[in-house]
Amino acid sequence: MLPSTFFSLPAQIEVLAAGEVLRRRNQTLTSVLHLESGRVLRGVYEDGRMRHQLGVVEGPFWLDAASAMLEKPFPVDMVAETRVQVRRLPIEEFRRGCASLPPVAQGLLRDMATGYRQQSELAVSRLAQDAEARCAQWLLNHAQPDHSGAMSVTLHQRKRLIAAQLGIAPETFSRVLRHLREHGLIAGTGNVLNLPQPHALQSVAGC
């Protein structure tokens, strides 16, 4: 998207081993990474592995130029698939370089950066929705009527084990439960979760 020769990149090259995390979702950027060589995975990194891969890039490539240009947090996780070499440019220097471009070029790059970010955010959003649907389906599958006929689920296992069954990280499972609780689809405390709106939960599950 941007030629690296346009910027005065630092002479120091950082070498990172395969498996190292370069960027985290929602991370506020203080620098911009230029991938000199190697291959980097983009996606959702949970529980020590790239659980959902959304793409792969190879150097030379600006890894986070779109977010830096739009002054927004980073939307996805980035993990080195191979040994990589990167140069780290302070974000203020990067923005000064962009600001020196002709206005027409700046507008074009901002439009491209916006489209790139929207695609990434949409992909991550769909993955979150998928996790929510799986959790809702699990709750419905394990629901039992109580003495009053209301539906409830008793958690006989630790949340970490339930999350593993669903193929999501424990943090994701807790986040989805909190989201469902905020929308009134589950209630209760401890190991018993009440389902006050099973039909609405079915809609979340895609039934």
Side-chain angles (χ1 to χ4, degrees), residues 132 136 140 180 183-186 195-207:
E132 190 169 271
L140 291 168
L180 294 176
H183 285 76
L185 300 183
I186 63 174
L195 311 183
Q197 302 184 62
H199 293 298
L201 201 60
Q202 286 176 349
S203 296
V204 174
C207 298

Side-chain angles (χ1 to χ4, degrees), residues 44-180:
V44 177
Y45 186 79
E46 293 177 334
D47 242 11
R49 67 186 181 91
M50 186 63 80
R51 189 171 293 278
H52 299 287
Q53 184 177 326
L54 299 176
V56 59
V57 294
E58 295 190 35
F61 190 84
W62 287 101
L63 292 177
D64 38 21
S67 295
M69 190 172 295
L70 298 173
E71 300 184 23
K72 292 186 177 182
F74 202 60
V76 299
D77 298 313
M78 282 196 175
V79 179
E81 185 182 25
T82 65
R83 178 180 178 272
V84 301
Q85 293 183 323
V86 299
R87 295 182 195 263
R88 192 181 300 270
L89 182 67
I91 198 165
E92 295 81 6
E93 292 185 28
F94 175 82
R95 288 174 179 159
R96 279 197 296 270
C98 291
S100 66
L101 289 168
V104 173
Q106 289 185 47
L108 175 61
L109 288 173
R110 288 188 67 84
D111 287 346
M112 293 173 64
T114 299
Y116 181 77
R117 267 194 65 91
Q118 287 175 344
Q119 288 182 339
S120 297
E121 290 170 346
L122 178 61
V124 172
S125 173
R126 285 176 173 170
L127 289 174
Q129 290 172 356
D130 180 54
E132 190 169 271
R134 276 180 278 167
C135 290
Q137 187 62 63
W138 186 91
L139 289 168
L140 291 168
N141 290 344
H142 292 78
Q144 298 289 335
D146 60 20
H147 63 278
S148 65
M151 305 298 291
S152 64
V153 176
T154 301
L155 304 181
H156 296 290
Q157 297 175 304
R158 293 182 180 275
K159 290 181 180 179
R160 180 175 295 275
L161 295 177
I162 297 173
Q165 294 174 24
L166 295 171
I168 59 179
E171 295 80 8
T172 302
F173 184 56
S174 297
R175 185 168 62 249
V176 170
L177 290 181
R178 183 169 61 252
H179 180 75
L180 294 176

